[in-house]
Amino acid sequence: MNYLGRLCRELEGDMGLTQRQLARRLGISLGKCNTLTRMAEEQGLVSVLPGARGLTGKGRRYLEQFRVKNAVILAAGIDVRFVPFTHEVPKCMMQVEEQRIIERVICQLREAGIEDITIVVGYLAEMFDYLIDKYGVKLLFNPEYATKNNLASLYLARHLLGNTMLVSADLWMWENVFHIYEPEAWCACHWHEGATDRWCLVTNGKRQVRRVRRGGRDMLAMLGPVHMDERFSREVAARLEEAYHQPGNDDAPWQSVLGHGMEQMGLSANILPPGIVQDFATFEELRDFDTTYVEYSGNKNLRKIASIFEVPESRIEGLTWMDVGMTNQTFRFTLDGQGYIYRIPGQGTENFISRRQEAEVYAAIRELDIADEVLYLDGDTGIKIARYYPNSHNVAPDDGPAIKTCMQILRRLHTAGAKVGHRFDILRKLGEFEAMCREVDCIRFDDFAATKQRVEVALDVIRNTVQPLVLCHGDAAHVNFLTLEDSSIRLLDWEYGGMCHGVADVAMFGLFQNSSFAQIDEMLEWYCGRTPTEEERILCFSYVSASGLLWSMWAEYRQYYGEDFGEYAMLQYRTAKEAVARVQTLLAEAADAPGKPPQDRGAGQEAI
């Protein structure tokens, strides 16, 4: 560590420090502090004044080389741990002790003399605009905020790195840890007893960082603020350049570029006392810290829960984000020991999902006792509160007995006689999604027109099938089947439910878990409880093809809104092509079957 530079900085800020106070500030022994002071005096950096010391002109020139030029604040991401709050505002815009978190960071930087501040923004970027006028900051927009971690944000700002203070926007610091003069590169950290999943520092006896790793036990855990000097910035920028273009790094945080090889980067551990820096990993932590959140959070979703259950907000506990599904935002909460799931409809879903129709479906199936227990469903907003089932798990795609039970549940649904006043009309939905995608120009398949023409064979089968319609789930993926603690299975999330041909649900199940055609044939047999007819197989694979095309466009449209579905759209699109080829083969085999009397498809058969 550069103790000489730090000594000059402390004396520049407070010439009246005693030798003992100075030693305490530097974190060294009194004897070492005396030796260091004599060295500074011998080099002409410090002069002895009556009753105090002070920097000489040479000392100030020496200190100037360590002046922090700028600060970069990372504020682009969505902290899902703070759902439902981050559904309305970025976490750093929340108030703590009557001050917004990010404003406290900016004010502390400015108090230290650091005026050149750039904030990398992304999620709800427009909410940061007022900071330009209020504090003179600059905004740098990261267009990849929704699909990549903050490595992409720092990569975007790499040209700004030099003698730079790097800060996360959502840190609350009781004390100002920033200085205008920083003689070395450092990373703020504190000693963490026990296990942690934070980024941790491995140091030598001089507090020099030798390695950075994710997670550990009884280690120095990173807290957020990092001072990057010129040497450290050059090395980080080079590593960012390499890591950003390396496949598989979309989810990587910027700290991942550190890792090994730290010996030559000159990074020191700036060990802070406990409690100086708060990052509020959960709302529970924030509520413990700022008690004004106990009775009134200011969040409309918590107000909704309190109103529905007629309880004060203080009784709503255990807020936990749930990484489930691909359509909505979901979090879990507990009330008097009972767990519940709160669903917030995803952005843009109002364009293709009717929440009133969803409520109608739940009402129609209530007596069947095969679905999740819904306590509240708003047909206008789509807000839903359902019972949480502890120790449950989704049906695995390779669990044959469970899948057979799923097929039997679908059969029970389809033969129960439940009805609603709307259809799950895949032909109409295909047209609607294509129109929506073309409006925003988000279809990226070069051969879409040709594929759509090929799939017309499957669509003709669906159009010409005269079997009666039954109430279908419309999204019967294996991830929507939940195995409970007592081994029973329930079918969740009925937002696409409507009247359709029953085999459409079987097709959806096979499609979503990328089943082979032989596996889909087996599922259809389990569903029918007998060997399927030729017409049933043709209709089922027609729905596989049509659904593949539908959900590939659905994924393209959702990705336009910033959500990342990886290879999902590609897989669905490929299945649409392969399934229609299967339909053509089955139709040809049916036409060539000797002695088969002509009949309308589905005539005389039960509703499937």
Side-chain angles (χ1 to χ4, degrees):
M1 299 183 75
N2 189 340
Y3 286 108
L4 185 61
R6 293 179 61 200
L7 180 141
C8 291
R9 182 185 72 184
E10 295 301 329
L11 290 178
E12 191 274 341
D14 188 351
M15 292 187 296
L17 289 172
T18 67
Q19 199 70 353
R20 193 172 299 277
Q21 289 171 331
L22 185 58
R24 190 178 299 114
R25 291 270 190 97
L26 296 178
I28 58 178
S29 68
L30 182 58
K32 185 173 182 178
C33 185
N34 291 334
T35 301
L36 189 65
T37 303
R38 286 195 298 270
M39 182 189 303
E41 291 174 355
E42 291 170 0
Q43 295 183 18
L45 303 177
V46 175
S47 64
V48 179
L49 300 175
R53 287 173 300 279
L55 288 185
T56 63
K58 183 178 179 181
R60 289 189 173 85
R61 288 191 297 274
Y62 168 77
L63 197 57
E64 195 61 30
Q65 65 181 307
F66 305 125
R67 179 182 288 272
V68 177
K69 301 297 192 300
N70 67 328
V72 172
I73 301 176
L74 301 181
I78 308 170
D79 194 334
V80 295
R81 298 173 304 172
F82 258 68
V83 170
F85 294 91
T86 47
H87 185 68
E88 300 174 16
V89 297
K91 177 184 171 185
C92 64
M93 286 289 179
M94 295 183 66
Q95 289 202 352
V96 179
E97 300 289 330
E98 299 183 352
Q99 185 179 25
R100 282 183 167 174
I101 297 175
I102 193 170
E103 289 199 39
R104 185 173 180 86
V105 173
I106 294 171
C107 289
Q108 289 176 328
L109 287 167
R110 287 165 58 90
E111 287 168 6
I114 305 170
E115 300 282 347
D116 185 350
I117 301 171
T118 300
I119 306 174
V120 185
V121 298
Y123 177 62
L124 298 179
E126 62 276 11
M127 294 191 69
F128 294 83
D129 181 77
Y130 80 98
L131 297 172
I132 299 174
D133 303 311
K134 189 171 183 177
Y135 297 107
V137 303
K138 291 170 283 189
L139 303 184
L140 179 62
F141 181 72
N142 175 11
E144 299 178 304
Y145 73 89
T147 58
K148 295 184 178 181
N149 209 323
N150 63 12
L151 186 151
S153 288
L154 193 55
Y155 172 80
L156 186 67
R158 67 195 184 284
H159 65 286
L160 300 173
L161 303 182
N163 202 353
T164 302
M165 196 66 70
L166 177 66
V167 194
S168 295
D170 56 2
L171 297 177
W172 178 267
M173 290 169 280
W174 270 115
E175 297 180 12
N176 195 339
V177 302
F178 307 124
H179 294 278
I180 190 61
Y181 299 112
E182 290 292 355
E184 62 206 349
W186 55 257
C187 173
C189 58
H190 72 159
W191 182 256
H192 186 96
E193 293 186 1
T196 178
D197 61 355
R198 290 179 178 272
W199 288 93
C200 296
L201 308 178
V202 179
T203 62
N204 60 18
K206 297 181 178 180
R207 295 187 180 180
Q208 295 171 329
V209 178
R210 311 297 297 273
R211 186 158 60 93
V212 177
R213 76 183 200 192
R214 187 63 181 263
R217 176 179 290 276
D218 300 329
M219 297 188 69
L220 291 173
M222 294 179 68
L223 288 175
V226 177
H227 171 250
M228 310 173 74
D229 62 13
E230 296 284 353
R231 178 175 63 157
F232 186 76
S233 290
R234 285 193 298 272
E235 180 62 28
V236 168
R239 294 187 181 196
L240 285 169
E241 189 74 44
E242 179 181 356
Y244 177 80
H245 294 100
Q246 185 174 343
N249 271 351
D250 285 358
D251 290 332
W254 80 267
Q255 294 92 333
S256 64
V257 306
L258 301 179
H260 295 272
M262 297 291 297
E263 294 86 349
Q264 306 305 316
M265 294 179 69
L267 183 68
S268 297
N270 184 4
I271 304 176
L272 302 177
I276 296 296
V277 179
Q278 302 281 345
D279 69 351
F280 306 121
T282 65
F283 175 64
E284 307 295 334
E285 290 185 11
L286 175 59
R287 189 153 60 178
D288 289 342
F289 185 84
D290 186 343
T291 57
T292 60
Y293 281 99
V294 172
E295 295 298 340
Y296 180 73
S297 65
N299 180 264
K300 65 182 181 182
N301 292 297
L302 292 193
R303 290 200 303 270
K304 172 77 75 174
I305 295 171
S307 173
I308 292 170
F309 288 94
E310 299 181 343
V311 297
E313 287 189 18
S314 59
R315 286 172 55 186
I316 304 170
E317 300 176 323
L319 294 170
T320 307
W321 176 70
M322 301 184 68
D323 186 12
V324 295
M326 297 188 295
T327 302
N328 309 298
Q329 294 185 40
T330 306
F331 68 91
R332 188 174 78 236
F333 68 94
T334 59
L335 188 62
D336 299 332
Q338 173 62 55
Y340 301 93
I341 295 176
Y342 189 99
R343 181 194 70 188
I344 304 171
Q347 185 180 16
T349 57
E350 68 279 0
N351 294 327
F352 53 87
I353 294 175
S354 168
R355 300 300 177 179
R356 290 189 178 278
Q357 291 180 353
E358 179 188 12
E360 183 184 358
V361 170
Y362 269 108
I365 62 172
R366 183 176 295 116
E367 300 303 321
L368 298 181
D369 196 31
I370 60 173
D372 47 332
E373 181 183 347
V374 175
L375 290 89
Y376 176 84
L377 177 54
D378 190 320
D380 293 321
T381 65
I383 297 295
K384 185 180 86 169
I385 300 177
R387 178 185 172 191
Y388 172 69
Y389 298 97
N391 304 316
S392 60
H393 61 273
N394 298 113
V395 168
D398 59 351
D399 188 345
I403 293 174
K404 185 174 183 179
T405 300
C406 293
M407 295 300 105
Q408 293 168 349
I409 290 173
L410 291 177
R411 184 69 178 185
R412 181 183 168 201
L413 166 68
H414 299 157
T415 57
K419 297 181 183 298
V420 292
H422 60 276
R423 294 179 59 184
F424 178 80
D425 187 341
I426 198 165
L427 305 178
R428 179 177 58 82
K429 286 187 178 294
L430 277 166
E432 291 174 350
F433 268 103
E434 182 178 356
M436 289 160 55
C437 288
R438 293 199 180 281
E439 183 177 355
V440 297
D441 192 25
C442 66
I443 298 178
R444 293 171 291 182
F445 299 110
D446 284 345
D447 63 345
F448 179 80
T451 299
K452 179 186 173 186
Q453 186 61 40
R454 287 179 59 192
V455 173
E456 278 295 327
V457 173
L459 302 185
D460 279 341
V461 170
I462 295 171
R463 288 189 189 98
N464 296 328
T465 296
V466 295
Q467 295 169 0
L469 304 181
V470 296
L471 180 55
C472 291
H473 183 273
D475 189 24
H478 66 280
V479 294
N480 283 331
F481 285 89
L482 194 68
T483 301
L484 307 189
E485 196 170 17
D486 63 0
S487 299
S488 64
I489 296 178
R490 289 186 176 269
L491 182 51
L492 316 179
D493 297 339
W494 294 71
E495 55 196 356
Y496 294 100
M499 306 301 290
C500 191
H501 297 119
V503 293
D505 276 343
V506 180
M508 294 283 187
F509 193 102
L511 174 74
F512 287 137
Q513 67 173 30
N514 300 314
S515 301
S516 68
F517 290 162
Q519 289 172 320
I520 293 176
D521 277 328
E522 185 176 34
M523 291 176 200
L524 187 59
E525 183 170 339
W526 288 338
Y527 168 78
C528 294
R530 52 172 169 74
T531 301
T533 66
E534 190 176 82
E535 286 76 14
E536 288 167 342
R537 294 178 67 211
I538 291 172
L539 183 59
C540 182
F541 282 102
S542 294
Y543 270 107
V544 172
S545 178
S547 300
L549 188 62
L550 173 68
W551 297 118
S552 67
M553 286 193 292
W554 174 88
E556 292 285 84
Y557 184 75
R558 297 301 303 279
Q559 287 180 148
Y560 172 80
Y561 278 95
E563 299 181 55
D564 181 21
F565 290 104
E567 62 180 355
Y568 180 81
M570 180 180 68
L571 292 174
Q572 300 302 305
Y573 191 69
R574 170 54 48 187
T575 301
K577 293 180 177 182
E578 294 176 352
V580 76
R582 175 73 164 167
V583 170
Q584 290 171 318
T585 299
L586 291 173
L587 287 172
E589 291 174 354
D592 292 340
K596 179 177 177 63
Q599 62 177 7
D600 289 335
R601 255 180 224 106
Q605 297 181 38
E606 59 186 317
I608 58 168

mmCIF file of all heavy atoms in Angstrom, residues 454-471:
data_model
loop_
_atom_site.group_PDB
_atom_site.id
_atom_site.type_symbol
_atom_site.label_atom_id
_atom_site.label_comp_id
_atom_site.label_asym_id
_atom_site.label_seq_id
_atom_site.Cartn_x
_atom_site.Cartn_y
_atom_site.Cartn_z
ATOM 1 N N ARG A 454 -45.708 -23.818 -45.762
ATOM 2 C CA ARG A 454 -45.632 -25.267 -45.516
ATOM 3 C C ARG A 454 -46.561 -25.670 -44.372
ATOM 4 O O ARG A 454 -47.220 -26.707 -44.431
ATOM 5 C CB ARG A 454 -44.196 -25.657 -45.172
ATOM 6 C CG ARG A 454 -43.228 -25.641 -46.327
ATOM 7 C CD ARG A 454 -41.831 -26.016 -45.850
ATOM 8 N NE ARG A 454 -41.802 -27.338 -45.234
ATOM 9 C CZ ARG A 454 -40.777 -27.815 -44.528
ATOM 10 N NH1 ARG A 454 -39.727 -27.041 -44.318
ATOM 11 N NH2 ARG A 454 -40.830 -29.027 -44.020
ATOM 12 N N VAL A 455 -46.613 -24.835 -43.318
ATOM 13 C CA VAL A 455 -47.431 -25.147 -42.147
ATOM 14 C C VAL A 455 -48.915 -25.075 -42.481
ATOM 15 O O VAL A 455 -49.750 -25.614 -41.740
ATOM 16 C CB VAL A 455 -47.061 -24.205 -40.977
ATOM 17 C CG1 VAL A 455 -47.992 -24.375 -39.791
ATOM 18 C CG2 VAL A 455 -45.623 -24.464 -40.530
ATOM 19 N N GLU A 456 -49.277 -24.465 -43.613
ATOM 20 C CA GLU A 456 -50.679 -24.412 -44.024
ATOM 21 C C GLU A 456 -51.289 -25.807 -44.128
ATOM 22 O O GLU A 456 -52.489 -25.977 -43.933
ATOM 23 C CB GLU A 456 -50.819 -23.680 -45.365
ATOM 24 C CG GLU A 456 -50.840 -22.168 -45.267
ATOM 25 C CD GLU A 456 -52.072 -21.656 -44.524
ATOM 26 O OE1 GLU A 456 -53.140 -22.296 -44.631
ATOM 27 O OE2 GLU A 456 -51.955 -20.640 -43.822
ATOM 28 N N VAL A 457 -50.472 -26.814 -44.410
ATOM 29 C CA VAL A 457 -50.978 -28.190 -44.466
ATOM 30 C C VAL A 457 -51.559 -28.573 -43.109
ATOM 31 O O VAL A 457 -52.663 -29.143 -43.014
ATOM 32 C CB VAL A 457 -49.843 -29.164 -44.863
ATOM 33 C CG1 VAL A 457 -50.324 -30.619 -44.747
ATOM 34 C CG2 VAL A 457 -49.349 -28.873 -46.265
ATOM 35 N N ALA A 458 -50.819 -28.248 -42.043
ATOM 36 C CA ALA A 458 -51.296 -28.548 -40.683
ATOM 37 C C ALA A 458 -52.505 -27.691 -40.327
ATOM 38 O O ALA A 458 -53.458 -28.168 -39.686
ATOM 39 C CB ALA A 458 -50.167 -28.317 -39.677
ATOM 40 N N LEU A 459 -52.481 -26.435 -40.749
ATOM 41 C CA LEU A 459 -53.596 -25.544 -40.440
ATOM 42 C C LEU A 459 -54.869 -26.003 -41.138
ATOM 43 O O LEU A 459 -55.974 -25.874 -40.582
ATOM 44 C CB LEU A 459 -53.244 -24.106 -40.839
ATOM 45 C CG LEU A 459 -51.995 -23.507 -40.181
ATOM 46 C CD1 LEU A 459 -51.848 -22.035 -40.568
ATOM 47 C CD2 LEU A 459 -52.038 -23.663 -38.670
ATOM 48 N N ASP A 460 -54.732 -26.545 -42.337
ATOM 49 C CA ASP A 460 -55.907 -27.074 -43.049
ATOM 50 C C ASP A 460 -56.513 -28.252 -42.290
ATOM 51 O O ASP A 460 -57.746 -28.411 -42.243
ATOM 52 C CB ASP A 460 -55.510 -27.516 -44.461
ATOM 53 C CG ASP A 460 -55.437 -26.341 -45.431
ATOM 54 O OD1 ASP A 460 -56.020 -25.280 -45.123
ATOM 55 O OD2 ASP A 460 -54.787 -26.489 -46.480
ATOM 56 N N VAL A 461 -55.666 -29.104 -41.710
ATOM 57 C CA VAL A 461 -56.173 -30.222 -40.915
ATOM 58 C C VAL A 461 -57.004 -29.693 -39.753
ATOM 59 O O VAL A 461 -58.109 -30.175 -39.475
ATOM 60 C CB VAL A 461 -55.007 -31.089 -40.384
ATOM 61 C CG1 VAL A 461 -55.520 -32.113 -39.362
ATOM 62 C CG2 VAL A 461 -54.309 -31.799 -41.533
ATOM 63 N N ILE A 462 -56.477 -28.665 -39.053
ATOM 64 C CA ILE A 462 -57.190 -28.098 -37.909
ATOM 65 C C ILE A 462 -58.502 -27.464 -38.361
ATOM 66 O O ILE A 462 -59.552 -27.638 -37.714
ATOM 67 C CB ILE A 462 -56.291 -27.072 -37.190
ATOM 68 C CG1 ILE A 462 -55.064 -27.779 -36.597
ATOM 69 C CG2 ILE A 462 -57.065 -26.328 -36.105
ATOM 70 C CD1 ILE A 462 -54.009 -26.838 -36.047
ATOM 71 N N ARG A 463 -58.460 -26.720 -39.477
ATOM 72 C CA ARG A 463 -59.680 -26.061 -39.983
ATOM 73 C C ARG A 463 -60.774 -27.072 -40.305
ATOM 74 O O ARG A 463 -61.963 -26.841 -40.064
ATOM 75 C CB ARG A 463 -59.358 -25.272 -41.254
ATOM 76 C CG ARG A 463 -58.548 -24.015 -41.055
ATOM 77 C CD ARG A 463 -58.483 -23.214 -42.348
ATOM 78 N NE ARG A 463 -57.536 -22.120 -42.242
ATOM 79 C CZ ARG A 463 -56.285 -22.160 -42.698
ATOM 80 N NH1 ARG A 463 -55.855 -23.257 -43.317
ATOM 81 N NH2 ARG A 463 -55.484 -21.133 -42.540
ATOM 82 N N ASN A 464 -60.366 -28.215 -40.878
ATOM 83 C CA ASN A 464 -61.343 -29.173 -41.403
ATOM 84 C C ASN A 464 -61.770 -30.235 -40.398
ATOM 85 O O ASN A 464 -62.571 -31.107 -40.722
ATOM 86 C CB ASN A 464 -60.769 -29.862 -42.651
ATOM 87 C CG ASN A 464 -60.541 -28.879 -43.787
ATOM 88 O OD1 ASN A 464 -61.276 -27.892 -43.920
ATOM 89 N ND2 ASN A 464 -59.498 -29.115 -44.587
ATOM 90 N N THR A 465 -61.222 -30.191 -39.188
ATOM 91 C CA THR A 465 -61.625 -31.153 -38.164
ATOM 92 C C THR A 465 -62.954 -30.717 -37.557
ATOM 93 O O THR A 465 -63.104 -29.575 -37.105
ATOM 94 C CB THR A 465 -60.543 -31.243 -37.065
ATOM 95 O OG1 THR A 465 -59.336 -31.756 -37.644
ATOM 96 C CG2 THR A 465 -60.988 -32.159 -35.934
ATOM 97 N N VAL A 466 -63.914 -31.636 -37.521
ATOM 98 C CA VAL A 466 -65.271 -31.270 -37.113
ATOM 99 C C VAL A 466 -65.607 -31.775 -35.712
ATOM 100 O O VAL A 466 -66.772 -31.745 -35.303
ATOM 101 C CB VAL A 466 -66.307 -31.819 -38.119
ATOM 102 C CG1 VAL A 466 -66.138 -31.152 -39.472
ATOM 103 C CG2 VAL A 466 -66.185 -33.344 -38.235
ATOM 104 N N GLN A 467 -64.610 -32.247 -34.956
ATOM 105 C CA GLN A 467 -64.885 -32.708 -33.594
ATOM 106 C C GLN A 467 -65.306 -31.542 -32.710
ATOM 107 O O GLN A 467 -64.884 -30.398 -32.913
ATOM 108 C CB GLN A 467 -63.625 -33.354 -33.007
ATOM 109 C CG GLN A 467 -63.207 -34.621 -33.730
ATOM 110 C CD GLN A 467 -61.827 -35.069 -33.293
ATOM 111 O OE1 GLN A 467 -61.211 -34.424 -32.468
ATOM 112 N NE2 GLN A 467 -61.366 -36.170 -33.862
ATOM 113 N N PRO A 468 -66.134 -31.806 -31.691
ATOM 114 C CA PRO A 468 -66.539 -30.737 -30.772
ATOM 115 C C PRO A 468 -65.345 -30.214 -29.972
ATOM 116 O O PRO A 468 -64.373 -30.933 -29.728
ATOM 117 C CB PRO A 468 -67.568 -31.411 -29.861
ATOM 118 C CG PRO A 468 -67.389 -32.875 -30.047
ATOM 119 C CD PRO A 468 -66.779 -33.091 -31.384
ATOM 120 N N LEU A 469 -65.435 -28.960 -29.560
ATOM 121 C CA LEU A 469 -64.375 -28.331 -28.790
ATOM 122 C C LEU A 469 -64.586 -28.568 -27.301
ATOM 123 O O LEU A 469 -65.724 -28.674 -26.828
ATOM 124 C CB LEU A 469 -64.334 -26.829 -29.074
ATOM 125 C CG LEU A 469 -64.189 -26.412 -30.540
ATOM 126 C CD1 LEU A 469 -64.149 -24.890 -30.662
ATOM 127 C CD2 LEU A 469 -62.946 -27.035 -31.167
ATOM 128 N N VAL A 470 -63.470 -28.639 -26.559
ATOM 129 C CA VAL A 470 -63.522 -28.826 -25.109
ATOM 130 C C VAL A 470 -62.646 -27.744 -24.468
ATOM 131 O O VAL A 470 -61.835 -27.096 -25.132
ATOM 132 C CB VAL A 470 -63.025 -30.232 -24.704
ATOM 133 C CG1 VAL A 470 -63.942 -31.302 -25.253
ATOM 134 C CG2 VAL A 470 -61.584 -30.465 -25.178
ATOM 135 N N LEU A 471 -62.822 -27.557 -23.168
ATOM 136 C CA LEU A 471 -62.002 -26.568 -22.473
ATOM 137 C C LEU A 471 -60.578 -27.104 -22.353
ATOM 138 O O LEU A 471 -60.335 -28.164 -21.779
ATOM 139 C CB LEU A 471 -62.566 -26.279 -21.085
ATOM 140 C CG LEU A 471 -61.778 -25.254 -20.243
ATOM 141 C CD1 LEU A 471 -61.608 -23.936 -20.979
ATOM 142 C CD2 LEU A 471 -62.453 -25.033 -18.894
#
